[in-house]
Amino acid sequence: MTEETIYEGEETRSRRGLATYFRRLARRLGRGEPVPADEEQTVTVEMPADPEFEVELEEDGETVSLEIEMEWPAEKGVIDTEAHASKATFDLYEDNAEEYRWRLVHDNGNIIADSSEGYASKQKAKQGLESVRKNAPGADVVDLSKDEEPVDEGASSATFELFADAGAKWRWRLRHDNGEILADGGQGYSSKQKAKQGLRSVQTNVRGAEIR
């Protein structure tokens, strides 16, 4: 049988970017979910529970390469080259104060995230949502009620903060390392678990969400 390349990508990434990518893969693998091969999550593969795993470290002159390979029989995995990039869409709009904002709307109609502030221009609002798109998938989640600290420093330039508001409702916000709040859930949840589910939905859907 001839060998067929279904997807291949090559680029230069920072260590932080690599950490975000591998963290996303680890999360999907741990849940037994299809793993995205591309950033837009339009090519996914569902792996079996026991693939063969190989790590190879080589040095060739002045170049060092680290190769990680997983292999399994074709009939044990499912490849989808037309996967849905996201189950959510970014809405970019102008509010009553003539400031631009964005919100991330799930296909079920629920607003799962929104900008924490208004922007002076549409371009600034787009930059804000692109920062969320970049940082949310690999961001650590810290429970402020427990005075926690981020666990995997370097996976993202932002952190999800989970907290209870004055009305005893649970909320989340995505805070950049520079202190700026990039996004929040836009609503209070009746339990910590539901707030976590809300932010996990953002992490899953933000990467491939289209802007309208």
Side-chain angles (χ1 to χ4, degrees):
M1 182 178 292
T2 59
E3 183 176 300
E4 178 187 1
T5 300
I6 299 173
Y7 172 80
E8 184 175 8
E10 183 176 340
E11 61 181 288
T12 299
R13 293 197 185 192
S14 65
R15 285 186 307 217
R16 186 185 297 271
L18 287 171
T20 298
Y21 176 78
F22 284 120
R23 180 171 179 166
R24 184 163 66 251
L25 260 62
R27 185 181 298 120
R28 295 291 184 88
L29 284 171
R31 297 175 182 171
E33 299 174 350
V35 174
D38 61 336
E39 285 293 337
E40 291 74 25
Q41 303 182 54
T42 58
V43 179
T44 64
V45 57
E46 188 173 340
M47 299 183 187
D50 54 351
E52 293 186 9
F53 180 74
E54 180 180 341
V55 178
E56 185 174 351
L57 180 63
E58 290 185 341
E59 184 175 3
D60 182 9
E62 297 181 353
T63 302
V64 176
S65 63
L66 173 63
E67 297 182 6
I68 300 174
E69 182 175 309
M70 287 175 279
E71 185 175 303
W72 59 88
E75 67 272 11
K76 288 190 175 184
V78 179
I79 298 174
D80 187 353
T81 58
E82 297 181 353
H84 293 294
S86 174
K87 293 182 179 179
T89 304
F90 279 108
D91 280 347
L92 190 63
Y93 65 99
E94 190 174 12
D95 63 17
N96 293 332
E98 298 184 344
E99 291 184 321
Y100 283 92
R101 294 178 177 268
W102 62 261
R103 58 192 169 213
L104 185 61
V105 184
H106 196 277
D107 289 350
N108 61 16
N110 290 337
I111 298 174
I112 57 177
D114 62 38
S115 56
S116 59
E117 62 176 341
Y119 295 87
S121 68
K122 184 184 297 185
Q123 183 62 29
K124 291 288 186 182
K126 282 186 177 180
Q127 290 174 358
L129 73 83
E130 289 298 342
S131 181
V132 174
R133 195 200 298 274
K134 175 183 177 181
N135 288 294
D140 287 325
V141 180
V142 297
D143 186 346
L144 297 185
S145 68
K146 296 181 178 179
D147 195 26
E148 292 181 340
E149 293 292 333
V151 177
D152 297 323
E153 184 178 355
S156 171
S157 295
T159 303
F160 279 103
E161 296 177 341
L162 194 64
F163 63 99
D165 63 18
K169 293 285 188 178
W170 283 92
R171 296 179 178 271
W172 64 261
R173 60 192 172 217
L174 181 63
R175 187 185 296 275
H176 195 275
D177 290 349
N178 63 14
E180 179 185 358
I181 297 177
L182 302 178
D184 60 51
Q187 62 174 311
Y189 295 86
S190 59
S191 68
K192 184 188 301 186
Q193 183 61 31
K194 287 188 179 296
K196 284 184 178 180
Q197 290 173 357
L199 71 86
R200 294 300 186 200
S201 180
V202 173
Q203 289 183 308
T204 299
N205 292 294
V206 70
R207 181 74 69 179
E210 295 182 353
I211 302 173
R212 79 185 158 197

